[in-house]
């Protein structure tokens, strides 16, 4: 069990089982195909999924939020230039996770269920919280079918013609189940990734207790940042359907429930309804282009700690 990681103050051990497999396996695939090193392979993956992130966000604007193309392009620019969104170009899972998450919403909206079922497999295996995204996705599916009352009526009448697409949701739990069997084979634990979180000083607790647990500037900033976005989420509640509100709050509260406010700007960056909400006040302004330039400068400012390897950027 100790091989899966632990933390006892300054004595700790971190295990690779804390990370899900799709991102590292993608880099390894590029290494094998092109006979390249890690840096070059990670750069290729980063470049591909950075582009796919912005394309997926543009598709979200058109197919889910029903914006016109010109308006969608402006929203996408604000998404690209937002502070902390430089993470989509780093050797992190943000771009890959967002791509599969956004395309899952898009294909559900388009009723392309086969493509949807393929997207939620890597979504589930990129990050541990990927499987949780099935809840807001399922609620979105119900909303697209006409709401809970209509879906309940179909269930009572056994209207399988309308309910059959629900079966496409099974690909994600099946994929996770196979991965859990693999973990058990390798480590003796079906949920080795849960046990391995201890090496990163993570422990389950009430989400708000994860704020301000340390006195360093990074923890203080991340805690305040999370609280600000909680306030914004409350203000935005009536602007979005239930599915998106659940996505927002799960994306904020789950990381905090691990007992740490670390990386909150990264986790919040993938919450696309909040980007839509905040950008909606700016896209039609006369001064939107100078504001975009200001956003870009803020992004460069938040990128600077990364260049000097400051914990603020991790």
């Amino acid at each position: 069990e100790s091989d899966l990681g632990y933390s006892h103050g300054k004595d700790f051990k971190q295990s690779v089982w804390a990370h899900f497999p799709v991102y590292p396996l993608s880099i390894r695939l590029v290494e094998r195909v092109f006979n390249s090193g890690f840096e070059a392979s990670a750069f290729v993956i980063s470049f591909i999924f950075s582009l796919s992130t912005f394309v997926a966000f543009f598709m979200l604007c058109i197919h889910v939020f029903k914006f016109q193309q010109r308006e969608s392009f402006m929203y996408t620019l604000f998404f690209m230039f937002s502070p902390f969104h430089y993470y989509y170009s780093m050797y992190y899972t943000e771009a890959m996770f967002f791509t599969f998450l956004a395309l899952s919403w898009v294909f559900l909206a388009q009723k392309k269920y086969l493509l949807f079922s393929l997207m939620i497999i890597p979504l589930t295996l990129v990050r541990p919280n990927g499987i949780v995204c099935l809840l807001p996705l399922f609620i979105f599916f119900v909303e697209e079918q006409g709401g809970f009352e209509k879906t309940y009526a179909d269930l009572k009448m056994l209207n399988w013609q309308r309910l059959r697409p629900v079966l496409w949701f099974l690909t994600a739990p099946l994929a996770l189940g196979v991965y859990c069997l693999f973990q058990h084979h390798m480590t003796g634990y079906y949920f080795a990734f849960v046990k391995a979180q201890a090496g990163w000083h993570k422990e389950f607790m009430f989400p708000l207790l994860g704020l301000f647990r340390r006195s360093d500037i990074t923890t203080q900033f991340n805690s305040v940042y999370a609280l600000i976005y909680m306030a914004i989420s409350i203000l935005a509640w009536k602007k979005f359907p239930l599915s998106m509100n659940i996505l927002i709050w799960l994306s904020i509260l789950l990381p905090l429930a691990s007992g740490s406010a670390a990386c909150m700007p990264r986790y919040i960056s993938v919450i696309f309804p909040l980007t839509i909400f905040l950008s909606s006040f700016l896209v039609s302004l006369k001064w939107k282009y100078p504001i975009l330039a200001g956003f870009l400068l803020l992004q460069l400012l938040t990128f600077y700690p990364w260049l000097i390897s400051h914990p603020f950027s991790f």
Side-chain angles (χ1 to χ4, degrees), residues 99-166:
T99 295
F100 294 125
L101 175 65
L103 290 180
S104 296
W105 286 79
V106 168
F107 291 140
L108 265 188
Q110 294 179 314
K111 295 182 169 55
K112 296 180 178 179
Y113 298 120
L114 175 59
L115 291 174
F116 162 76
S117 70
L118 295 176
M119 291 299 103
I120 60 177
I121 293 173
L123 174 66
T124 302
L125 298 178
V126 171
R127 282 183 175 178
N129 63 324
I131 191 68
V132 180
C133 293
L134 285 189
L135 175 60
L137 281 166
F138 180 76
I139 294 175
F140 178 68
F141 165 76
V142 172
E143 292 165 348
E144 291 292 291
Q145 294 295 313
F148 288 95
E149 291 185 6
K150 193 169 185 179
T151 303
Y152 179 66
D154 289 335
L155 185 61
K156 288 176 64 178
M157 296 173 61
L158 295 179
N159 190 344
W160 295 115
Q161 186 66 29
R162 287 175 53 82
L163 294 174
R164 188 166 51 189
V166 172

Side-chain angles (χ1 to χ4, degrees), residues 162-198:
R162 287 175 53 82
L163 294 174
R164 188 166 51 189
V166 172
L167 297 177
W168 293 111
F169 281 82
L170 295 179
T171 58
L174 286 173
L176 181 61
V178 171
Y179 182 56
C180 287
L181 288 174
F182 174 73
Q183 289 181 104
H184 182 264
H185 174 71
M186 297 297 293
T187 70
Y189 294 93
Y190 289 104
F191 298 99
F193 67 91
V194 176
K195 288 186 171 293
Q197 300 303 316

Side-chain angles (χ1 to χ4, degrees), residues 245 248 277:
N245 279 301
I248 290 170
F277 176 72

